[in-house]
Amino acid sequence: MSNPDNGSDGSNRSASGPRSGAERPALIPGPLAAREVGVAPATIRKWVQLGHLKPAGKAVRAQLFRLEDVFAAERAARRATRRGR
Protein backbone atom coordinates (compact mmCIF):
# COMPACT_ATOMS: atom_id res chain seq x y z
CA MET A 1 0.00 0.00 0.00
CA SER A 2 1.42 3.41 -0.92
CA ASN A 3 1.61 6.41 1.35
CA PRO A 4 0.04 9.57 -0.18
CA ASP A 5 2.80 11.72 1.33
CA ASN A 6 5.47 9.82 -0.57
CA GLY A 7 6.49 10.98 -4.01
CA SER A 8 6.40 8.62 -6.96
CA ASP A 9 10.10 7.91 -6.40
CA GLY A 10 9.42 6.79 -2.83
CA SER A 11 10.84 9.93 -1.25
CA ASN A 12 9.05 11.37 1.73
CA ARG A 13 7.90 14.71 0.31
CA SER A 14 4.63 16.43 1.01
CA ALA A 15 2.25 17.38 -1.77
CA SER A 16 3.28 21.02 -1.44
CA GLY A 17 6.76 20.26 -2.77
CA PRO A 18 10.20 21.03 -1.37
CA ARG A 19 10.60 23.72 1.24
CA SER A 20 11.00 27.18 -0.14
CA GLY A 21 13.74 29.56 0.97
CA ALA A 22 11.08 32.06 2.04
CA GLU A 23 10.47 30.18 5.28
CA ARG A 24 14.02 30.68 6.50
CA PRO A 25 16.13 33.51 5.08
CA ALA A 26 19.61 32.66 3.95
CA LEU A 27 22.43 33.73 6.24
CA ILE A 28 25.57 35.18 4.70
CA PRO A 29 29.00 35.95 6.20
CA GLY A 30 30.08 39.53 6.88
CA PRO A 31 32.45 39.95 3.91
CA LEU A 32 29.75 38.84 1.47
CA ALA A 33 27.19 41.06 3.19
CA ALA A 34 29.60 43.99 2.82
CA ARG A 35 30.03 43.30 -0.88
CA GLU A 36 26.25 43.13 -1.40
CA VAL A 37 25.67 46.63 0.03
CA GLY A 38 28.89 48.14 -1.35
CA VAL A 39 30.76 48.79 1.89
CA ALA A 40 33.98 47.50 3.44
CA PRO A 41 33.83 44.47 5.78
CA ALA A 42 35.05 46.80 8.54
CA THR A 43 31.85 48.81 8.09
CA ILE A 44 29.75 45.70 8.79
CA ARG A 45 31.79 45.10 11.96
CA LYS A 46 31.32 48.75 12.98
CA TRP A 47 27.54 48.53 12.47
CA VAL A 48 27.53 45.48 14.77
CA GLN A 49 29.65 47.33 17.34
CA LEU A 50 27.32 50.35 17.25
CA GLY A 51 24.22 48.17 17.51
CA HIS A 52 22.86 48.99 14.03
CA LEU A 53 23.18 45.38 12.90
CA LYS A 54 22.81 42.15 14.82
CA PRO A 55 24.27 38.81 13.69
CA ALA A 56 21.57 36.22 13.03
CA GLY A 57 23.90 33.28 13.50
CA LYS A 58 27.45 32.05 13.70
CA ALA A 59 29.47 29.53 11.71
CA VAL A 60 32.70 28.63 13.50
CA ARG A 61 34.15 32.14 13.99
CA ALA A 62 32.23 33.96 11.26
CA GLN A 63 29.20 36.05 12.09
CA LEU A 64 26.26 35.44 9.76
CA PHE A 65 23.69 38.02 8.75
CA ARG A 66 20.31 38.14 7.05
CA LEU A 67 20.66 40.16 3.88
CA GLU A 68 17.51 42.16 4.63
CA ASP A 69 19.00 43.14 8.02
CA VAL A 70 22.18 44.32 6.29
CA PHE A 71 20.20 46.46 3.83
CA ALA A 72 18.17 47.92 6.71
CA ALA A 73 21.38 48.85 8.57
CA GLU A 74 22.76 50.42 5.41
CA ARG A 75 19.61 52.55 4.97
CA ALA A 76 19.75 53.59 8.64
CA ALA A 77 23.40 54.58 8.28
CA ARG A 78 22.60 56.71 5.23
CA ARG A 79 19.75 58.45 7.10
CA ALA A 80 22.03 59.13 10.08
CA THR A 81 24.70 60.57 7.77
CA ARG A 82 22.19 62.90 6.09
CA ARG A 83 20.91 64.15 9.46
CA GLY A 84 24.44 64.89 10.62
CA ARG A 85 25.15 67.35 7.81
Coordinates of all heavy atoms in Angstrom, one line a residue:
M1 N 0.8 -1.2 0.0 CA 0.0 0.0 0.0 C 0.9 1.2 0.0 O 1.9 1.3 0.7 CB -0.9 0.0 1.2 CG -2.0 0.9 1.2 SD -3.0 0.4 2.6 CE -4.4 1.5 2.3
S2 N 0.6 2.2 -0.8 CA 1.4 3.4 -0.9 C 0.9 4.5 0.0 O -0.2 4.6 0.3 CB 1.4 3.9 -2.4 OG 0.2 4.5 -2.7
N3 N 1.9 5.3 0.5 CA 1.6 6.4 1.4 C 1.4 7.6 0.5 O 2.2 8.0 -0.3 CB 2.8 6.6 2.3 CG 2.6 7.7 3.3 OD1 1.7 8.5 3.2 ND2 3.4 7.7 4.4
P4 N 0.3 8.4 0.7 CA 0.0 9.6 -0.2 C 1.1 10.7 0.0 O 1.2 11.5 -0.9 CB -1.4 10.0 0.2 CG -1.6 9.4 1.5 CD -0.8 8.2 1.6
D5 N 1.8 10.7 1.1 CA 2.8 11.7 1.3 C 4.1 11.4 0.6 O 5.0 12.3 0.5 CB 3.1 11.9 2.8 CG 2.0 12.6 3.6 OD1 1.2 13.3 2.9 OD2 1.9 12.5 4.8
N6 N 4.3 10.2 0.1 CA 5.5 9.8 -0.6 C 5.4 10.2 -2.0 O 4.3 10.1 -2.6 CB 5.7 8.3 -0.5 CG 6.2 7.9 0.9 OD1 6.6 8.7 1.7 ND2 6.2 6.6 1.1
G7 N 6.5 10.7 -2.6 CA 6.5 11.0 -4.0 C 6.5 9.7 -4.8 O 6.7 8.6 -4.3
S8 N 6.4 9.8 -6.1 CA 6.4 8.6 -7.0 C 7.7 7.9 -6.9 O 7.8 6.7 -7.2 CB 6.1 9.0 -8.4 OG 7.1 9.9 -8.9
D9 N 8.8 8.6 -6.5 CA 10.1 7.9 -6.4 C 10.3 7.3 -5.0 O 11.4 6.8 -4.7 CB 11.2 8.9 -6.7 CG 11.3 10.1 -5.8 OD1 10.4 10.2 -5.0 OD2 12.2 10.9 -6.0
G10 N 9.3 7.4 -4.2 CA 9.4 6.8 -2.8 C 10.0 7.7 -1.8 O 10.1 7.4 -0.6
S11 N 10.3 9.0 -2.2 CA 10.8 9.9 -1.3 C 9.7 10.4 -0.4 O 8.5 10.4 -0.7 CB 11.5 11.1 -2.0 OG 10.6 11.8 -2.7
N12 N 10.0 10.9 0.8 CA 9.0 11.4 1.7 C 8.8 12.9 1.6 O 9.3 13.7 2.4 CB 9.5 11.0 3.1 CG 8.4 11.2 4.1 OD1 7.2 11.4 3.8 ND2 8.7 11.1 5.4
R13 N 8.2 13.3 0.5 CA 7.9 14.7 0.3 C 6.4 14.9 0.4 O 5.6 14.1 0.0 CB 8.3 15.1 -1.1 CG 9.8 15.3 -1.2 CD 10.2 15.8 -2.6 NE 10.1 14.6 -3.4 CZ 10.5 14.6 -4.7 NH1 10.9 15.7 -5.3 NH2 10.4 13.5 -5.4
S14 N 6.1 16.1 0.9 CA 4.6 16.4 1.0 C 4.1 16.9 -0.4 O 4.9 17.2 -1.3 CB 4.4 17.5 2.0 OG 5.0 18.7 1.6
A15 N 2.9 17.0 -0.5 CA 2.3 17.4 -1.8 C 2.6 18.8 -2.1 O 2.5 19.2 -3.3 CB 0.7 17.2 -1.7
S16 N 3.0 19.6 -1.2 CA 3.3 21.0 -1.4 C 4.7 21.2 -2.0 O 5.0 22.3 -2.4 CB 3.2 21.9 -0.2 OG 4.1 21.4 0.8
G17 N 5.4 20.2 -2.1 CA 6.8 20.3 -2.8 C 7.9 20.5 -1.8 O 7.6 20.6 -0.6
P18 N 9.1 20.8 -2.3 CA 10.2 21.0 -1.4 C 10.0 22.4 -0.7 O 9.3 23.2 -1.1 CB 11.4 21.0 -2.3 CG 10.9 21.3 -3.7 CD 9.5 20.8 -3.7
R19 N 10.7 22.5 0.5 CA 10.6 23.7 1.2 C 11.2 24.9 0.5 O 12.2 24.8 -0.2 CB 11.4 23.6 2.5 CG 10.8 22.7 3.5 CD 11.6 22.8 4.8 NE 10.6 23.0 5.8 CZ 10.9 22.9 7.1 NH1 12.1 22.5 7.4 NH2 10.0 23.1 8.0
S20 N 10.5 26.0 0.5 CA 11.0 27.2 -0.1 C 11.9 27.9 0.8 O 11.9 27.8 2.0 CB 9.8 28.1 -0.5 OG 9.2 28.6 0.6
G21 N 12.8 28.8 0.2 CA 13.7 29.6 1.0 C 13.1 30.7 1.7 O 13.7 31.3 2.5
A22 N 11.8 31.0 1.4 CA 11.1 32.1 2.0 C 10.8 31.8 3.5 O 10.6 32.7 4.3 CB 9.8 32.3 1.3
E23 N 10.7 30.5 3.9 CA 10.5 30.2 5.3 C 11.6 30.6 6.2 O 11.4 31.0 7.3 CB 10.2 28.7 5.4 CG 8.9 28.2 4.8 CD 8.7 26.7 4.9 OE1 9.4 26.1 5.7 OE2 8.0 26.2 4.1
R24 N 12.8 30.4 5.7 CA 14.0 30.7 6.5 C 15.0 31.4 5.6 O 15.6 30.9 4.7 CB 14.6 29.4 6.9 CG 15.7 29.5 7.9 CD 16.2 28.1 8.2 NE 16.5 28.0 9.6 CZ 17.0 26.9 10.1 NH1 17.3 25.9 9.3 NH2 17.3 26.8 11.4
P25 N 15.2 32.7 5.9 CA 16.1 33.5 5.1 C 17.6 33.0 5.1 O 18.0 32.5 6.2 CB 16.1 34.9 5.7 CG 15.1 34.9 6.8 CD 14.7 33.5 7.0
A26 N 18.2 33.1 4.0 CA 19.6 32.7 4.0 C 20.5 33.6 4.8 O 20.3 34.8 4.9 CB 20.1 32.7 2.5
L27 N 21.5 33.0 5.4 CA 22.4 33.7 6.2 C 23.7 33.8 5.5 O 24.2 32.8 4.9 CB 22.6 33.1 7.6 CG 21.4 32.9 8.5 CD1 21.8 32.2 9.8 CD2 20.8 34.2 8.8
I28 N 24.3 35.0 5.4 CA 25.6 35.2 4.7 C 26.6 35.8 5.6 O 26.3 36.5 6.6 CB 25.4 36.1 3.5 CG1 24.8 37.5 3.9 CG2 24.4 35.5 2.5 CD1 24.8 38.5 2.8
P29 N 27.9 35.4 5.4 CA 29.0 36.0 6.2 C 29.2 37.5 6.0 O 28.8 38.0 4.9 CB 30.2 35.1 5.8 CG 29.9 34.6 4.4 CD 28.4 34.5 4.3
G30 N 29.8 38.1 6.9 CA 30.1 39.5 6.9 C 30.7 40.1 5.6 O 30.2 41.0 5.0
P31 N 31.8 39.4 5.1 CA 32.4 40.0 3.9 C 31.5 39.9 2.7 O 31.5 40.9 1.9 CB 33.6 39.0 3.7 CG 34.0 38.6 5.1 CD 32.6 38.4 5.8
L32 N 30.7 38.9 2.6 CA 29.8 38.8 1.5 C 28.6 39.9 1.7 O 28.2 40.5 0.7 CB 29.2 37.4 1.3 CG 28.1 37.2 0.2 CD1 28.7 37.6 -1.1 CD2 27.6 35.8 0.2
A33 N 28.2 40.0 2.9 CA 27.2 41.1 3.2 C 27.7 42.5 2.8 O 27.0 43.3 2.2 CB 26.8 41.0 4.7
A34 N 29.0 42.7 3.1 CA 29.6 44.0 2.8 C 29.6 44.2 1.3 O 29.3 45.3 0.8 CB 31.0 44.0 3.4
R35 N 30.0 43.2 0.6 CA 30.0 43.3 -0.9 C 28.6 43.6 -1.5 O 28.5 44.4 -2.4 CB 30.6 42.0 -1.5 CG 31.0 42.1 -2.9 CD 31.7 40.9 -3.5 NE 32.6 40.3 -2.5 CZ 32.7 38.9 -2.4 NH1 31.9 38.1 -3.1 NH2 33.5 38.4 -1.5
E36 N 27.6 42.9 -0.9 CA 26.2 43.1 -1.4 C 25.8 44.6 -1.2 O 25.0 45.1 -2.1 CB 25.3 42.2 -0.7 CG 25.4 40.7 -1.1 CD 25.0 40.5 -2.5 OE1 24.0 41.1 -3.0 OE2 25.6 39.7 -3.2
V37 N 26.1 45.3 -0.2 CA 25.7 46.6 0.0 C 26.7 47.7 -0.4 O 26.5 48.9 -0.3 CB 25.2 46.9 1.5 CG1 24.0 46.1 1.8 CG2 26.3 46.7 2.5
G38 N 27.9 47.2 -0.8 CA 28.9 48.1 -1.3 C 29.7 48.9 -0.3 O 30.0 50.0 -0.5
V39 N 29.9 48.2 0.8 CA 30.8 48.8 1.9 C 31.9 47.8 2.2 O 32.0 46.7 1.8 CB 29.9 49.1 3.2 CG1 28.8 50.1 2.9 CG2 29.4 47.8 3.8
A40 N 32.9 48.3 3.0 CA 34.0 47.5 3.4 C 33.5 46.5 4.6 O 32.6 46.9 5.3 CB 35.1 48.4 3.9
P41 N 34.2 45.4 4.7 CA 33.8 44.5 5.8 C 34.0 45.1 7.1 O 33.2 44.8 8.1 CB 34.8 43.3 5.6 CG 35.1 43.3 4.1 CD 35.1 44.8 3.7
A42 N 34.9 46.1 7.3 CA 35.1 46.8 8.5 C 33.8 47.6 8.9 O 33.5 47.8 10.1 CB 36.3 47.7 8.5
T43 N 33.1 48.1 7.9 CA 31.8 48.8 8.1 C 30.8 47.9 8.7 O 30.1 48.3 9.6 CB 31.3 49.4 6.8 OG1 32.4 50.3 6.2 CG2 30.1 50.2 7.0
I44 N 30.7 46.7 8.2 CA 29.8 45.7 8.8 C 30.1 45.5 10.3 O 29.2 45.5 11.1 CB 29.8 44.4 8.0 CG1 29.4 44.6 6.6 CG2 28.9 43.3 8.7 CD1 27.9 44.9 6.4
R45 N 31.4 45.3 10.6 CA 31.8 45.1 12.0 C 31.5 46.3 12.8 O 31.0 46.2 14.0 CB 33.3 44.8 12.0 CG 33.6 43.4 11.4 CD 35.0 43.0 11.7 NE 36.0 43.9 11.1 CZ 36.6 43.8 9.9 NH1 36.2 42.8 9.1 NH2 37.5 44.6 9.5
K46 N 31.6 47.5 12.3 CA 31.3 48.7 13.0 C 29.8 48.9 13.3 O 29.4 49.3 14.3 CB 31.8 50.0 12.2 CG 31.6 51.3 12.9 CD 32.3 51.3 14.2 CE 33.5 52.1 14.2 NZ 34.1 52.2 15.6
W47 N 29.0 48.5 12.3 CA 27.5 48.5 12.5 C 27.1 47.6 13.6 O 26.3 47.9 14.4 CB 26.8 48.2 11.2 CG 26.9 49.2 10.1 CD1 27.2 50.5 10.2 CD2 26.5 49.0 8.7 NE1 27.2 51.2 9.0 CE2 26.7 50.3 8.1 CE3 26.1 48.0 8.0 CZ2 26.5 50.5 6.7 CZ3 25.9 48.2 6.6 CH2 26.1 49.4 6.0
V48 N 27.8 46.4 13.7 CA 27.5 45.5 14.8 C 27.9 46.1 16.1 O 27.2 46.1 17.1 CB 28.3 44.1 14.5 CG1 28.1 43.2 15.8 CG2 27.7 43.4 13.3
Q49 N 29.1 46.7 16.1 CA 29.7 47.3 17.3 C 28.7 48.5 17.8 O 28.5 48.6 19.0 CB 31.1 47.9 17.1 CG 31.7 48.5 18.2 CD 33.1 49.1 17.9 OE1 33.4 49.3 16.7 NE2 33.9 49.2 18.9
L50 N 28.2 49.2 16.9 CA 27.3 50.3 17.3 C 25.9 49.9 17.5 O 25.1 50.7 18.0 CB 27.3 51.4 16.1 CG 28.7 52.1 15.9 CD1 28.6 53.0 14.6 CD2 29.1 52.9 17.1
G51 N 25.6 48.7 17.3 CA 24.2 48.2 17.5 C 23.2 48.4 16.4 O 22.0 48.1 16.5
H52 N 23.7 48.8 15.2 CA 22.9 49.0 14.0 C 22.5 47.7 13.3 O 21.5 47.6 12.6 CB 23.5 49.9 13.0 CG 23.8 51.3 13.5 ND1 22.9 52.1 14.1 CD2 25.0 52.0 13.5 CE1 23.5 53.2 14.5 NE2 24.7 53.2 14.1
L53 N 23.3 46.7 13.6 CA 23.2 45.4 12.9 C 23.5 44.3 13.9 O 24.4 44.4 14.7 CB 24.2 45.3 11.7 CG 24.1 44.0 10.9 CD1 22.8 43.8 10.2 CD2 25.2 44.1 9.8
K54 N 22.6 43.3 13.9 CA 22.8 42.1 14.8 C 23.0 40.9 14.0 O 22.2 40.6 13.1 CB 21.6 42.0 15.7 CG 21.7 41.0 16.8 CD 20.4 41.0 17.6 CE 20.5 39.9 18.7 NZ 19.3 39.8 19.4
P55 N 24.1 40.1 14.4 CA 24.3 38.8 13.7 C 23.1 37.9 13.9 O 22.5 37.9 15.0 CB 25.5 38.2 14.3 CG 26.2 39.4 15.0 CD 25.1 40.4 15.4
A56 N 22.7 37.1 12.9 CA 21.6 36.2 13.0 C 22.1 34.8 13.3 O 21.2 33.9 13.6 CB 20.7 36.2 11.8
G57 N 23.4 34.6 13.3 CA 23.9 33.3 13.5 C 25.4 33.3 13.5 O 26.0 34.4 13.3
K58 N 26.0 32.2 13.7 CA 27.5 32.1 13.7 C 27.9 30.7 13.1 O 27.2 29.7 13.3 CB 27.9 32.2 15.1 CG 29.3 32.5 15.3 CD 29.6 33.0 16.7 CE 31.0 33.6 16.6 NZ 31.4 34.4 17.7
A59 N 28.9 30.7 12.3 CA 29.5 29.5 11.7 C 31.0 29.5 12.1 O 31.7 30.4 11.6 CB 29.3 29.5 10.2
V60 N 31.3 28.7 12.9 CA 32.7 28.6 13.5 C 33.0 30.0 14.1 O 32.4 30.4 15.1 CB 33.7 28.2 12.5 CG1 35.1 28.0 13.1 CG2 33.3 26.9 11.8
R61 N 33.8 30.8 13.5 CA 34.1 32.1 14.0 C 33.4 33.3 13.2 O 33.4 34.4 13.7 CB 35.6 32.4 13.9 CG 36.4 31.5 14.9 CD 37.9 31.7 14.7 NE 38.3 33.1 14.9 CZ 39.3 33.7 14.4 NH1 40.1 33.0 13.6 NH2 39.6 35.0 14.7
A62 N 32.9 32.9 12.1 CA 32.2 34.0 11.3 C 30.8 34.3 11.7 O 30.0 33.4 12.1 CB 32.2 33.5 9.8
Q63 N 30.6 35.6 11.8 CA 29.2 36.0 12.1 C 28.4 36.0 10.8 O 28.9 36.3 9.7 CB 29.2 37.5 12.6 CG 29.9 37.6 14.0 CD 29.9 39.1 14.4 OE1 30.0 40.0 13.6 NE2 29.7 39.2 15.7
L64 N 27.1 35.6 10.9 CA 26.3 35.4 9.8 C 25.1 36.4 9.9 O 24.6 36.7 11.0 CB 25.7 34.0 9.7 CG 26.8 32.9 9.5 CD1 26.1 31.6 9.6 CD2 27.6 33.1 8.3
F65 N 24.7 37.0 8.8 CA 23.7 38.0 8.7 C 22.6 37.7 7.7 O 22.9 37.1 6.7 CB 24.3 39.4 8.4 CG 25.4 39.8 9.3 CD1 26.8 39.5 9.0 CD2 25.2 40.5 10.5 CE1 27.8 39.9 9.8 CE2 26.2 40.8 11.3 CZ 27.5 40.5 11.0
R66 N 21.4 38.2 8.0 CA 20.3 38.1 7.0 C 20.5 39.3 6.1 O 20.8 40.5 6.6 CB 19.0 38.3 7.7 CG 18.6 37.1 8.5 CD 17.2 37.3 9.1 NE 16.8 36.2 10.0 CZ 17.1 36.2 11.3 NH1 17.6 37.2 11.9 NH2 16.8 35.1 12.1
L67 N 20.4 39.1 4.8 CA 20.7 40.2 3.9 C 19.7 41.3 4.1 O 20.1 42.5 4.0 CB 20.5 39.6 2.4 CG 21.1 40.5 1.3 CD1 22.5 40.9 1.6 CD2 21.0 39.8 0.0
E68 N 18.4 41.1 4.4 CA 17.5 42.2 4.6 C 17.9 43.0 5.8 O 17.7 44.2 5.8 CB 16.1 41.7 4.8 CG 15.8 40.7 5.8 CD 15.9 39.2 5.4 OE1 16.6 38.9 4.4 OE2 15.3 38.4 6.1
D69 N 18.5 42.4 6.9 CA 19.0 43.1 8.0 C 20.2 44.0 7.6 O 20.3 45.2 8.1 CB 19.4 42.2 9.1 CG 18.3 41.4 9.8 OD1 17.1 41.8 9.5 OD2 18.6 40.4 10.5
V70 N 21.0 43.5 6.7 CA 22.2 44.3 6.3 C 21.7 45.5 5.5 O 22.2 46.7 5.7 CB 23.1 43.5 5.5 CG1 24.3 44.3 4.9 CG2 23.7 42.3 6.3
F71 N 20.7 45.3 4.6 CA 20.2 46.5 3.8 C 19.5 47.5 4.7 O 19.6 48.7 4.5 CB 19.2 46.0 2.8 CG 19.9 45.4 1.5 CD1 19.7 44.1 1.1 CD2 20.8 46.2 0.8 CE1 20.4 43.6 0.0 CE2 21.4 45.7 -0.3 CZ 21.2 44.4 -0.7
A72 N 18.8 47.0 5.8 CA 18.2 47.9 6.7 C 19.2 48.7 7.5 O 19.0 50.0 7.7 CB 17.3 47.1 7.7
A73 N 20.3 48.1 7.9 CA 21.4 48.8 8.6 C 22.0 49.9 7.6 O 22.4 51.0 8.1 CB 22.4 47.9 9.1
E74 N 22.2 49.5 6.4 CA 22.8 50.4 5.4 C 21.9 51.6 5.2 O 22.3 52.8 5.2 CB 23.0 49.7 4.1 CG 23.8 50.4 3.1 CD 23.0 51.1 2.0 OE1 21.8 50.8 1.9 OE2 23.5 52.0 1.3
R75 N 20.6 51.4 5.1 CA 19.6 52.6 5.0 C 19.6 53.4 6.2 O 19.6 54.7 6.1 CB 18.2 52.0 4.7 CG 18.0 51.5 3.3 CD 16.5 51.2 3.1 NE 15.9 50.3 4.0 CZ 15.9 49.0 3.8 NH1 16.4 48.4 2.8 NH2 15.3 48.2 4.8
A76 N 19.7 52.8 7.4 CA 19.7 53.6 8.6 C 21.0 54.4 8.7 O 21.0 55.6 9.2 CB 19.7 52.7 9.8
A77 N 22.1 53.9 8.3 CA 23.4 54.6 8.3 C 23.4 55.8 7.3 O 23.9 56.8 7.7 CB 24.6 53.6 7.9
R78 N 22.7 55.6 6.2 CA 22.6 56.7 5.2 C 21.7 57.8 5.8 O 22.0 59.0 5.7 CB 22.0 56.2 3.9 CG 22.9 55.5 3.0 CD 22.3 55.2 1.7 NE 23.0 54.2 1.0 CZ 24.0 54.5 0.1 NH1 24.4 55.8 0.0 NH2 24.6 53.6 -0.5
R79 N 20.6 57.4 6.5 CA 19.7 58.5 7.1 C 20.5 59.2 8.2 O 20.4 60.4 8.3 CB 18.5 57.8 7.7 CG 17.4 57.5 6.7 CD 16.1 57.1 7.3 NE 16.2 56.0 8.3 CZ 16.0 54.7 8.0 NH1 15.7 54.4 6.7 NH2 16.1 53.8 8.9
A80 N 21.3 58.5 9.0 CA 22.0 59.1 10.1 C 23.1 60.1 9.5 O 23.3 61.2 10.1 CB 22.7 58.1 11.0
T81 N 23.7 59.7 8.4 CA 24.7 60.6 7.8 C 24.1 61.8 7.2 O 24.6 62.9 7.4 CB 25.4 59.8 6.6 OG1 26.0 58.6 7.2 CG2 26.5 60.7 6.0
R82 N 22.9 61.7 6.6 CA 22.2 62.9 6.1 C 21.8 63.9 7.2 O 21.8 65.1 7.0 CB 21.0 62.5 5.3 CG 21.3 62.0 3.9 CD 20.0 61.9 3.1 NE 20.2 60.7 2.3 CZ 19.3 59.8 2.1 NH1 18.1 59.9 2.6 NH2 19.5 58.7 1.3
R83 N 21.3 63.3 8.3 CA 20.9 64.1 9.5 C 22.1 64.9 10.1 O 21.9 66.0 10.6 CB 20.3 63.3 10.5 CG 18.8 63.3 10.4 CD 18.1 62.6 11.6 NE 17.8 61.2 11.2 CZ 18.1 60.1 11.9 NH1 18.7 60.2 13.0 NH2 17.7 58.9 11.4
G84 N 23.3 64.3 10.0 CA 24.4 64.9 10.6 C 25.1 66.0 9.8 O 26.0 66.7 10.3
R85 N 24.6 66.3 8.7 CA 25.2 67.4 7.8 C 24.8 68.7 8.3 O 23.8 69.1 8.8 CB 24.7 67.2 6.4 CG 25.4 66.0 5.7 CD 25.0 65.9 4.3 NE 25.6 64.7 3.7 CZ 25.6 64.4 2.5 NH1 24.9 65.2 1.6 NH2 26.1 63.3 2.0

